[in-house]
């Protein structure tokens, strides 16, 4: 197909085999089901009760068995085919002879009205079950399978209340009835984020618990595959599951204010907190990286090679059980405390084996670049604004979760403190008064006046009267004039340089490029470009990350992929890349050029409403999985857009809330995943976040965009805003945020140019990445 034909003419040209439509095809749904099963985490399996014995009689409880939650609301919603619910999947399993279902109980749930609430809420309303129905089911089956649901989404956060983080009275009553009437209880968690686990961790009546998360269109099928043993669980937690919400270090500050959040826990997020701070290990129910299997594995014959540049580990992983399965090998660092202080464990490498048959062995290789183990000195304790490896012993632990990892025999020694990389003092906080240290004590931080606010309502000098008629100014600016303008395709073929192409554009053309453009075709989130006189297409965007998001009124269904957290729990970058390719093919087939995914903000707090869209509490996992998706998406000629840059860890009042975080935590935790994705996968697009970071909106923060993102990381792609943010467009352009979505504010840009606060060079510099991205798309 001719370059940009899909953008210009909107032809529906299938990309599947033999010219068949691929969108929501059986092959796509099968991949979604496989990924959902690979990421589910088996948390508990007392007496090896799972997998269910073939033909076992089961009673399926829980409203989520019929009202299955495939993903959260907002950008993570997908108009997909009717989801394969757990009830439908177990009905198929019954037809195959794998299980027998309590029929009357199934009829009870099938008769429930499945009415979505008018207003999204994270409070899940479980349906009470009549006692007679429970007793009838118990007379047929000795095993109850309870599918428990939770949901959340964009624009609001969850609550530490019954029915959300903890169990509701109805859920408690149902579980009490199950304990009374059934010999065996299996719980399936159809949830998008963390919730209380204390009610089942030590309950002898609940023999098995599967964290199935939100599995997309085929999530119910994945649950049935796992419980019946067609698939062996291999997922691992990417979060620490604590014994209470109050145990998380950010719980005290998460709801301190609608307008500011103090990241006082600093670098001690998730397992870095629980494995470091005194007496906190006791609050962990399930550690980071944990996950059971139906088989067992042995890690043997470990060898270590140490050098000044890297640390290499080779280990033999053998399946010592009775069925096939996969294991995840994890390598953790314990760095010397030194002057800066460190967490007692930090994940530095991981790898997942291929499926191993009983008795089969795979040699797994892990390599750590020691420069990546450095710490950022934001206060000048050793060397200000430098990444530093302090002198001392660097020990490494190898295992299958953070808690069970054991010390390796070779210690890496840094004989003297060394600066790995000298950076700059960017994005410093001025309102964060304290932060946590490894000892549990609080460290005072320097504070100062808050930077001036520059959201809408503070037009500054940008509403100065125009000195020239608007039309006359718009027509000016071009330094190359041609009777027949060059077309963007001429740049693609090498007939003209991009610089000369831009030089022929007027001021008005450039302003147009910096503003989002209307939707065409099935798109719902707008596009960019749209200068047909120069052959510049109107390239459409679409929401992610759970799939191609098309509104229901377009009459198009697409594949709903497993939530980002579930994909991360696969610990399998190759599989996640395959999902990225699958998503991109649907995006491309429906004439979209940019998929607004993946999202990789850190799981700082269990109550963040969009945690289901994000991967993990750990930046290495988040960055690795984001890079995997980017590679898959961009391998299909579609642009990926990583988001939300940065510190979008709270949805309440998200346009105004200020994330107050130290430079060290910012670089080591909240920016690290973005850095990994940018430097290893080179995403074509990046979206800035709504919130402020240390008093400045990222879309207008030159230190963040030009200093760190472009300067230190070498990012060359397109930077766009999140939709309808409340920041002065002219200040965004001055900071290097190239594109305002979905429509921009051309009048603000014109006024700023007239006032001299924006120059022609500013307009050209911001238009260039937009055109460079267009040139790389099909």
């Amino acid at each position: 197909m001719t370059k940009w034909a899909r953008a210009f003419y909107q032809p529906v040209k299938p990309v599947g085999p033999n010219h068949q439509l691929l969108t929501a095809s059986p092959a796509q749904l099968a991949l979604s089901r496989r990924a959902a099963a690979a990421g589910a985490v088996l948390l508990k399996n007392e007496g090896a009760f799972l997998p269910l014995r073939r033909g076992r009689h089961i009673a399926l409880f829980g409203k989520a068995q019929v009202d299955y939650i495939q993903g959260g609301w907002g950008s993570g919603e997908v108009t997909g085919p009717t989801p394969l619910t757990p009830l439908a999947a177990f009905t198929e399993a019954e037809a195959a002879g794998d299980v027998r279902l309590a029929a009357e109980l199934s009829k009870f749930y099938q008769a429930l009205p499945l009415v979505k609430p008018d207003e999204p809420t994270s409070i899940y309303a479980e349906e009470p079950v009549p006692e007679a129905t429970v007793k009838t089911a118990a007379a047929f089956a000795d095993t109850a399978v309870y599918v428990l649901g939770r949901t959340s989404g964009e624009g609001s956060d969850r609550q530490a209340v019954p029915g959300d983080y903890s169990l509701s009275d109805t859920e408690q009553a149902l579980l009490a009835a199950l304990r009374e009437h059934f010999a065996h209880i299996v719980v399936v968690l159809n949830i998008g984020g963390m919730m209380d686990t204390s009610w089942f961790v030590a309950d002898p009546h609940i023999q098995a618990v599967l964290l199935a998360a939100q599995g997309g269109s085929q999530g119910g099928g994945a649950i049935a595959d796992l419980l019946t043993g067609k698939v062996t669980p291999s997922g691992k937690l990417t979060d620490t599951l604590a014994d209470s919400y109050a145990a998380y270090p950010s719980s005290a500050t998460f709801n301190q204010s609608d307008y500011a959040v103090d990241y006082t826990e600093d670098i001690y997020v998730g397992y870095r907190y629980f494995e470091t701070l005194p007496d906190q290990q006791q609050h962990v129910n399930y550690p980071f990286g944990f996950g059971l299997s139906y088989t067992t594995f042995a890690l043997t014959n470990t060898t270590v090679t140490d050098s000044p540049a890297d640390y290499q580990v080779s280990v033999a992983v053998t399946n010592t059980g009775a069925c096939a399965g996969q294991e995840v090998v994890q390598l953790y660092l314990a760095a010397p405390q030194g002057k800066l202080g460190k967490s007692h464990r930090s994940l530095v490498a991981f790898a997942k084996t291929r499926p191993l048959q009983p008795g089969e062995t795979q040699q797994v290789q892990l390599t750590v670049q020691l420069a990546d183990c450095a710490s950022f000195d934001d206060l000048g304790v050793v060397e200000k604004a430098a990444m530093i490896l302090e002198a001392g012993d660097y020990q490494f632990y190898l295992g299958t979760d953070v808690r069970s990892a054991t010390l390796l025999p070779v210690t890496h020694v840094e004989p003297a403190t060394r600066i790995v990389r000298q950076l700059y003092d960017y994005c410093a906080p001025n309102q964060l008064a304290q932060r946590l240290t490894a000892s549990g004590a609080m460290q005072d931080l320097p504070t100062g006046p808050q930077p001036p606010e520059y959201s809408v309502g503070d037009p500054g000098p940008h509403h100065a009267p125009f000195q020239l008629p608007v039309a006359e100014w718009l027509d000016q600016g071009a330094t190359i004039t041609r009777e027949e303008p060059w077309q963007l395709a001429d740049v693609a073929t090498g007939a003209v340089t991009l610089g000369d192409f831009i030089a022929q554009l007027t001021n008005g053309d450039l302003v147009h490029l910096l503003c989002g453009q209307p939707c065409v075709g099935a798109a719902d989130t707008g596009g960019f470009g749209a200068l047909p006189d120069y052959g510049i297409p109107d390239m459409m965007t679409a929401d992610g990350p759970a799939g191609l998001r098309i509104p229901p009124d377009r009459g198009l269904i697409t594949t709903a992929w497993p939530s980002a957290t579930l994909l991360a729990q696969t610990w399998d970058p190759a599989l996640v890349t395959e999902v990225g390719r699958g998503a991109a093919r649907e995006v491309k087939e429906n004439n979209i050029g940019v998929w607004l995914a993946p999202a990789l903000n850190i799981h700082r707090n269990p109550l963040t409403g969009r945690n289901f869209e994000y991967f993990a509490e750990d930046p290495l996992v988040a960055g690795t999985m984001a890079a995997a998706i980017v590679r898959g998406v961009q391998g299909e000629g579609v642009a990926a857009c990583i988001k939300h840059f940065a510190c979008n860890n709270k949805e309440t009042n998200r346009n105004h809330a200020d994330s107050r975080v130290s430079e060290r935590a910012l670089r080591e935790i909240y920016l690290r995943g973005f850095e990994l994705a940018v430097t290893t996968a080179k995403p074509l697009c990046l979206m800035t976040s709504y919130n402020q970071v240390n008093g400045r909106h990222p879309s207008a923060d030159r230190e963040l965009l030009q200093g760190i993102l472009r300067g230190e990381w070498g990012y060359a792609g397109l930077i766009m805003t999140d939709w309808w943010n409340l920041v002065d467009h002219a200040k965004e352009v001055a900071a290097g945020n190239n594109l305002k979505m979905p429509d921009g504010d051309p009048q603000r840009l014109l006024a700023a140019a007239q006032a001299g606060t924006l120059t022609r060079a500013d307009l050209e510099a911001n238009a260039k990445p937009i055109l460079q991205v267009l040139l790389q798309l099909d």
Side-chain angles (χ1 to χ4, degrees), residues 394-449:
Y394 287 74
Q395 297 178 318
F396 292 86
Y397 291 76
L398 186 71
T400 56
D401 64 65
V402 68
R403 185 66 57 82
S404 67
T406 58
L407 180 65
L408 292 178
V410 178
T411 297
H412 173 79
V413 178
E414 285 290 331
T417 296
R418 60 185 171 109
I419 296 174
V420 170
R421 189 180 179 192
Q422 182 63 57
L423 299 174
Y424 297 92
D425 190 18
Y426 288 143
C427 305
N430 45 37
Q431 296 286 296
L432 182 67
Q434 288 186 316
R435 67 176 171 193
L436 189 63
T437 65
S439 68
M442 300 301 292
Q443 178 185 37
D444 291 335
L445 296 176
T447 59

Side-chain angles (χ1 to χ4, degrees), residues 670-693:
Y670 298 99
L671 296 186
R672 179 60 178 153
F674 285 99
E675 182 181 11
L676 287 169
V678 164
T679 56
T680 64
K682 297 179 171 45
L684 292 175
C685 299
L686 175 144
M687 184 190 299
T688 50
S689 57
Y690 289 117
N691 56 280
Q692 298 175 41
V693 177

Side-chain angles (χ1 to χ4, degrees), residues 656-677:
H656 299 287
D658 184 13
S659 298
R660 297 170 175 171
V661 56
S662 76
E663 289 180 78
R664 181 179 180 186
L666 185 65
R667 287 182 178 272
E668 292 186 22
I669 305 294
Y670 298 99
L671 296 186
R672 179 60 178 153
F674 285 99
E675 182 181 11
L676 287 169

Side-chain angles (χ1 to χ4, degrees), residues 74-78 542-549 595-597 599 610 613 643:
S75 70
E77 287 184 283
V78 174
D543 256 331
L548 172 60
R549 184 176 182 234
W595 192 39
L596 304 174
R610 297 179 85 171
E613 290 192 10
K643 61 183 185 182

Side-chain angles (χ1 to χ4, degrees), residues 1-15 19 539 587-592 777-778:
M1 183 178 284
T2 305
K3 194 172 182 66
W4 304 317
R6 290 182 185 274
F8 279 124
Y9 307 115
Q10 295 293 303
V12 178
K13 183 176 180 180
V15 300
H19 307 290
M539 191 61 70
V587 170
K588 185 175 185 177
E589 190 166 67
N590 291 283
N591 303 326
I592 307 294
L777 301 181
D778 289 346

